[in-house]
Amino acid sequence: MSLVAEQKAKSEKSLKRLAERIKALVEVDPQLSAMMPDPAIAERLFEQDLSVEQVIDGYLEGYAERPALGERAYEIEYDPATETHSRKYLPEFETISFGEYRSQISALAAAWGNEPGLSVKQKEYVAILGFASIQFSAVFLAAIYNQAIPVPLQSTTSGADLSEIFGNVNPSVLAATRDDLIVATELAIEHGNIPVLLVFDYDERVDSEREIFDQARKMLDEAGSKTRLITYQENIEIGKQYAWTFPVYQEDGEERTAFIIHSSGATGKPKGAMMAEPGFKFSWDARPDRYPSVMVMFAPLNHGLGIRAWMMGLRKGSLGYFTLKPDMSSLFEDIRIARPTQLSFLPRVFETIHQHFQNDVAARVKQGENREQAEQDVMQEMRHSFLGDRLLQGSVGTAPTSPAVRDFMRNCCDIHLS
């Protein structure tokens, strides 16, 4: 047997085993059995000549009662020593249903389509500054619904590069997470012609967040800026006053751009890649999907890996959890709480897991344990706990990973890895 044929046979065997394991898990896991994809929804959406926003809306409506996305739950904690209120994160996730998610997206889009001073027209740009969250993704889709062009960006991009990107796209709305609001405000003042600055992931009950919001308002006032500062919730309340209908696309002979995604700038000036609507719509085709998944999403939404994981969960009626912290310091805690069945890995996450394994083995060997036995014991302990107890499938991309680390992940976690 040739090497290619051997690899193909090995892959087919692995995929067959994966399908059998997923099927067996679904039969005994109530959460997963309630999230089986409904093939009739995708068939109905793709047998019609629908735009990508109508396809997305069809999934959100079709799976309206199911949980769609989750974030770490928190409560407001008062510190009498400092007399301040802050977020206290809990070891659990809070989810939003497909139906509520759809309501928020359509309300954002309705405000942009109807409210004077919040107007976002077809082919105009909505820049989004932050990491990844439910509200970040809702702003992204609200732009899609309004036939505008979302431009997701990371705050780690240098100020000079962000300034140049803003000069190129001249956004009608600049949306920023609370942690990036001051940077966004500075950019809005610098460019002078950004009509709306929208802050998301903001809770006015938290003193430090309210201080940031007040500082941004003061900066705009002192600069004499005409940019309107508005919160995510305020934008939604305005949008609820209007009935939402999809705009009719005005054909001009050009291929429609769905969104623009920029490189990180790690190897030079960030480059913006334009995703055309046909390609984006193809990515929402759930007809090949047979089984549900639970995912923890820890790649940013200005990254192809982050966008793909979020999109694939939504299109098949499954559940995705956003990690709490962008620096991945909470990642493994998030994973153990969520108990994912599928993960999309970055190579550095692989390296972190492998390093944990090596450190644990080295500590046992130092205490006199045989290395081979120590490796087997550590691997066995990690298999059903380190990444939760339901992980069956993983993918890795964005940069090369060594064969040794990939083999370790397959063997240690007993997963099908692509």
Side-chain angles (χ1 to χ4, degrees):
M1 182 183 291
S2 69
L3 179 61
V4 172
E6 184 178 344
Q7 290 176 335
K8 182 180 179 182
K10 186 177 180 180
S11 177
E12 290 175 349
K13 183 178 179 181
S14 178
L15 284 169
K16 182 179 179 181
R17 179 172 180 263
L18 172 64
E20 291 171 349
R21 294 178 70 195
I22 293 175
K23 184 178 179 181
L25 183 59
V26 167
E27 289 175 353
V28 298
D29 191 309
Q31 184 189 37
L32 292 175
S33 63
M35 294 192 300
M36 282 293 289
D38 183 350
I41 294 177
E43 289 290 348
R44 183 177 67 252
L45 294 173
F46 277 85
E47 70 183 9
Q48 305 174 64
D49 185 23
L50 300 178
S51 63
V52 66
E53 61 269 18
Q54 292 171 320
V55 168
I56 296 168
D57 191 68
Y59 286 124
L60 302 188
E61 182 181 28
Y63 293 119
E65 301 304 317
R66 297 187 184 187
L69 297 167
E71 292 177 337
R72 283 287 287 274
Y74 69 90
E75 58 189 19
I76 302 299
E77 184 176 56
Y78 178 70
D79 182 355
T82 59
E83 298 183 338
T84 58
H85 298 83
S86 60
R87 297 184 187 224
K88 179 185 177 182
Y89 287 98
L90 306 175
E92 61 190 58
F93 280 89
E94 186 175 13
T95 60
I96 184 174
S97 71
F98 278 82
E100 175 55 28
Y101 189 51
R102 180 183 183 231
S103 295
Q104 292 187 17
I105 293 164
S106 57
L108 290 169
W112 297 348
N114 296 280
E115 179 73 4
L118 288 180
S119 175
V120 180
K121 296 183 175 62
Q122 184 186 91
K123 293 188 177 182
E124 292 185 342
Y125 296 92
V126 175
I128 316 169
L129 192 59
F131 182 68
S133 68
I134 292 173
Q135 292 186 4
F136 185 123
S137 66
V139 172
F140 186 110
L141 287 184
I144 297 289
Y145 272 42
N146 228 34
Q147 297 178 357
I149 303 171
V151 186
L153 300 162
Q154 258 184 287
S155 52
T156 51
T157 306
S158 75
D161 289 330
L162 283 173
S163 181
E164 183 172 342
I165 291 169
F166 279 38
N168 291 335
V169 301
N170 193 26
S172 295
V173 172
L174 167 54
T177 182
R178 62 183 185 274
D179 294 332
D180 296 316
L181 181 57
I182 299 305
V183 171
T185 303
E186 292 171 345
L187 288 163
I189 292 170
E190 176 187 345
H191 286 275
N193 57 350
I194 296 176
V196 178
L197 175 57
L198 183 152
V199 58
F200 59 90
D201 294 338
Y202 165 67
D203 191 329
E204 65 178 4
R205 298 172 299 171
V206 178
D207 293 299
S208 60
E209 297 179 20
R210 194 171 59 252
E211 289 170 3
I212 290 172
F213 184 83
D214 290 343
Q215 182 184 349
R217 188 187 300 280
K218 183 179 179 182
M219 291 168 62
L220 291 169
D221 289 344
E222 291 180 347
S225 173
K226 295 182 180 179
T227 297
R228 179 177 179 179
L229 178 61
I230 188 171
T231 68
Y232 180 89
Q233 193 57 45
E234 287 172 338
N235 202 146
I236 284 178
E237 292 305 317
I238 291 170
K240 286 180 179 179
Q241 301 173 34
Y242 302 99
W244 168 249
T245 56
F246 286 106
V248 177
Y249 185 67
Q250 303 299 317
E251 298 286 353
D252 58 6
E254 294 184 6
E255 187 172 58
R256 180 177 163 194
T257 299
F259 64 92
I260 297 177
I261 187 167
H262 283 79
S263 62
S264 65
T267 57
K269 193 174 292 295
K271 297 166 284 293
M274 295 182 289
M275 170 64 78
E277 185 198 12
F280 190 43
K281 180 179 174 180
F282 175 79
S283 299
W284 285 92
D285 188 350
R287 286 176 292 185
D289 298 333
R290 294 291 178 267
Y291 297 102
S293 62
V294 174
M295 292 183 285
V296 173
M297 298 174 288
F298 48 89
L301 285 180
N302 75 315
H303 194 294
L305 199 66
I307 292 174
R308 180 173 172 78
W310 156 67
M311 180 177 58
M312 288 187 68
L314 290 178
R315 78 183 193 187
K316 60 181 179 179
S318 286
L319 176 57
Y321 297 104
F322 288 108
T323 190
L324 173 59
K325 297 180 180 179
D327 62 2
M328 296 197 297
S329 59
S330 69
L331 175 60
F332 297 115
E333 180 185 12
D334 292 335
I335 287 173
R336 289 164 199 147
I337 295 170
R339 302 173 58 230
T341 64
Q342 181 178 345
L343 288 173
S344 296
F345 292 99
L346 298 168
R348 58 179 167 156
V349 178
F350 269 18
E351 297 293 342
T352 300
I353 298 170
H354 191 230
Q355 188 62 55
H356 173 89
F357 167 77
Q358 291 178 314
N359 291 345
D360 206 346
V361 169
R364 295 185 184 215
V365 171
K366 189 175 181 180
Q367 294 174 357
E369 192 172 336
N370 174 271
R371 174 170 289 276
E372 184 176 345
Q373 186 62 48
E375 290 179 347
Q376 291 178 5
D377 291 345
V378 173
M379 201 172 286
Q380 183 63 31
E381 290 173 9
M382 291 179 64
R383 179 166 297 156
H384 301 297
S385 62
F386 197 81
L387 297 176
D389 61 346
R390 297 192 295 188
L391 188 63
L392 301 177
Q393 183 177 6
S395 59
V396 62
T398 77
T401 53
S402 71
V405 173
R406 291 200 304 272
D407 289 342
F408 161 77
M409 287 298 299
R410 287 191 180 96
N411 295 331
C412 178
C413 300
D414 190 23
I415 58 174
H416 173 81
L417 182 65
S418 56

